[in-house]
Every structure is written in C-alpha cells, then in structure tokens.
C-alpha cells in the first residue's frame, strides 16, 4: 500500500499530480511500464510512469521514447532490490543451519567504531562486526579487488550499437597483460595500463602510483591477472593493535 492507496494506478496518478510525468500535460492519462514486463519489468510504482493517451500511443508506435535517465533509475532500484532479496535469503538459510545468526546495520557498526576510536575502513568495519573489542590484531592483512573480465569489447566496437573503439588500445604487449601482478623496482603492483612501446603504468590495487613508465624488461611477473587479486599489506598501529 502506498500513501493509503490500495490501487497502484491511482497512487501513480496522485504521485504525478494527475498530469503527464513527461510533459506536465493534463487530460486522459495512462500508466505505462518504463521497463516492459516482457523485459523483466514489474508493477512496482518505481517502474511506472504517467503519460497522456497521445504520449502513450506515440511510445507504442515508436515516435516517442522514455528518457534514459528514468530507465537507469528503474534499473538502479531494481538492482538494489535484488541485492536486498538475496541478502535476506542468505540470512534465512543460515538461521536454519546455525542458532547464533545475527543481523547488524551500518548505524550499529558506526557506533562501535566510535566507541573504540577507529576510523572508517572496511578492515575496521569487519573487526567490530565480528565482535572485536580489545583483542590483539594481526600485523598484516590482505586487500582484495575484483576485476571485471568481460568488458563487452564486441559491443564497444560495433558502431550500430553506439560503440567506438578506443584509440591505441591493446590487450597484451611483450607477454604482459593488464592487471598482471608484477614487481617493479622492488615494489609489487599491477599493470594498470599497457603501451605498445613497452612502457607500462604500474599501480597498487587501490590505485596508488608506483611507476608511470615501467619498462617491460625491468618487470618481474609475479601472478597472471585473475578476477580477484589480493595484495598483502602491513597494518597501521593503533591503540587496539
């Protein structure tokens, strides 16, 4: 139920002020699915838009299109809803297997961090969520990063789909590929940029500069690129370490 309305259509009309959400015009109004049900769209109000009858007809005839901004907003809300649904499914499954399963929230984590004087980091969040109080913490920890393996290269180079091939883009040079872990001048990093000249951009996993022109014959391959890469780091000392 939205704002006391049991009928979704009536709620959408009220939300729009009984006028088109595209043009602001009044008259005979229709409620249209932004993402069609055939494409996975739902009857949730976030996926519905109020149009005049003329606009509604024009969309179905291909003479008018829904703005991309509204479509993207629906997709973002849909993704967030999916993540929430999956999260609660996992929680419920775990509760059937284990007795002591608890759910926490960002406000609780923030309060615990403040209590122990810890700055906001993923590592500190994990520490307090796991029940950390005054325990001695490890001297080293691992920073991980996910790398997308499929970047839709075919789509990018297809002009019909609006794709444009980036200039001077190569995938491999001198046996090295982007995101390979290497040693450069005694420091470990990943190849963030490849040049056919043999001079590569080297960065840490979190993006800090190591070298902007590392020569290929001065690099030592430590690990081929993978979907998830890890980097061992030393923890900064604090009153709780």
């Amino acid at each position: 139920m939205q704002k006391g309305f049991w009928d979704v259509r009536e709620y959408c009309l009220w939300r729009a002020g009984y006028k088109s959400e595209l043009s602001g015009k009044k008259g005979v109004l229709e409620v249209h699915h932004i993402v069609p049900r055939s494409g996975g769209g739902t009857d949730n109000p976030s996926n519905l838009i109020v149009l005049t009858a003329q606009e509604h007809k024009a969309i179905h005839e291909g003479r008018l299109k829904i703005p991309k901004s509204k479509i993207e907003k629906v997709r973002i809300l849909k993704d967030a809803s999916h993540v929430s649904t999956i999260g609660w499914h996992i929680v419920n499954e775990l509760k059937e297997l284990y007795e002591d399963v608890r759910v926490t929230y960002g406000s609780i984590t923030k309060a615990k961090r403040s209590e122990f004087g810890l700055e906001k980091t993923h590592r500190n969040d994990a520490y307090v969520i796991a029940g950390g109080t005054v325990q001695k913490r490890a001297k080293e920890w691992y920073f991980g990063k996910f790398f997308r393996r499929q970047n839709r290269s075919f789509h990018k180079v297809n002009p019909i789909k609006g794709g444009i091939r980036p200039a001077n883009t190569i995938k491999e040079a001198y046996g090295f590929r982007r995101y390979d872990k290497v040693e450069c001048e005694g420091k470990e990093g990943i190849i963030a940029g490849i040049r056919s000249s043999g001079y590569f951009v080297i960065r840490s996993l979190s993006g800090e500069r190591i070298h902007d022109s590392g020569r290929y014959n001065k690099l030592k391959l430590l690990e081929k690129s993978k979907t998830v890469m890890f980097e061992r780091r030393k923890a900064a000392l604090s009153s709780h370490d």
Side-chain angles (χ1 to χ4, degrees):
M1 183 174 67
Q2 297 88 17
K3 297 289 184 180
F5 289 89
W6 288 98
D7 185 85
V8 176
R9 183 179 185 278
E10 286 300 319
Y11 167 73
C12 289
L13 292 171
W14 171 84
R15 179 190 65 187
Y18 298 95
K19 58 186 178 182
S20 168
E21 291 181 284
L22 278 186
S23 64
K25 294 180 180 180
K26 296 185 177 181
V28 179
L29 300 173
E30 302 282 355
V31 177
H32 177 76
H33 286 82
I34 298 174
V35 177
R37 278 177 287 196
S38 60
T42 69
D43 292 332
N44 189 290
S46 64
N47 187 45
L48 299 173
I49 185 171
V50 175
L51 308 170
T52 65
Q54 291 81 7
E55 291 169 343
H56 191 243
K57 181 179 179 181
I59 285 178
H60 282 286
E61 292 178 348
R63 295 183 287 107
L64 183 65
K65 292 184 178 181
I66 301 292
K68 287 185 178 180
S69 59
K70 291 188 177 293
I71 296 174
E72 287 302 316
K73 184 177 180 181
V74 170
R75 287 175 178 167
I76 291 171
L77 291 171
K78 183 178 179 181
D79 289 344
S81 177
H82 283 177
V83 170
S84 178
T85 300
I86 292 170
W88 281 109
H89 175 76
I90 293 172
V91 168
N92 292 330
E93 287 290 319
L94 289 173
K95 283 184 176 179
E96 292 185 5
L97 297 173
Y98 307 100
E99 293 182 1
D100 189 21
V101 174
R102 292 171 289 174
V103 177
T104 189
Y105 298 92
S107 57
I108 299 174
T109 303
K110 181 179 179 180
K112 288 184 177 180
R113 278 201 324 268
S114 298
E115 180 183 348
F116 299 119
L118 300 173
E119 63 177 329
K120 179 172 175 54
T121 66
H122 291 305
R123 181 170 176 265
N124 287 338
D125 283 351
Y127 174 68
V128 297
I129 288 172
T133 52
V134 295
Q135 296 90 341
K136 185 176 181 179
R137 300 176 70 177
K139 299 294 183 183
E140 295 181 336
W141 59 289
Y142 289 85
F143 175 84
K145 186 172 182 179
F146 171 81
F147 293 98
R148 184 177 179 181
R149 308 304 298 164
Q150 172 56 262
N151 64 358
R152 301 177 70 197
S153 297
F154 180 76
H155 174 84
K156 291 180 179 179
V157 302
N158 189 339
I160 297 176
K161 293 186 177 181
I164 300 176
R165 180 187 290 276
N168 302 321
T169 298
I170 58 175
K171 292 185 177 181
E172 184 173 346
Y174 300 93
F176 292 98
R177 295 177 68 92
R178 196 177 182 199
Y179 304 137
D180 281 351
K181 182 185 287 187
V182 297
E183 183 179 307
C184 177
E185 298 181 355
K187 295 182 179 179
E188 292 185 12
I190 63 165
I191 297 176
I194 290 181
R195 304 188 185 102
S196 57
S197 63
Y199 290 92
F200 305 153
V201 178
I202 313 298
R203 296 281 188 269
S204 69
L205 277 186
S206 48
E208 291 89 357
R209 173 186 177 277
I210 293 177
H211 209 301
D212 285 330
S213 297
R215 180 68 175 170
Y216 79 94
N217 56 0
K218 299 292 184 181
L219 303 180
K220 178 182 178 182
L221 179 64
L222 301 177
E223 186 179 355
K224 280 292 188 181
S225 62
K226 297 188 298 186
T227 302
V228 180
M229 302 288 285
F230 291 95
E231 184 177 272
R232 187 168 64 179
R233 297 184 174 185
K234 289 189 176 182
L237 295 176
S238 72
S239 58
H240 294 279
D241 287 334

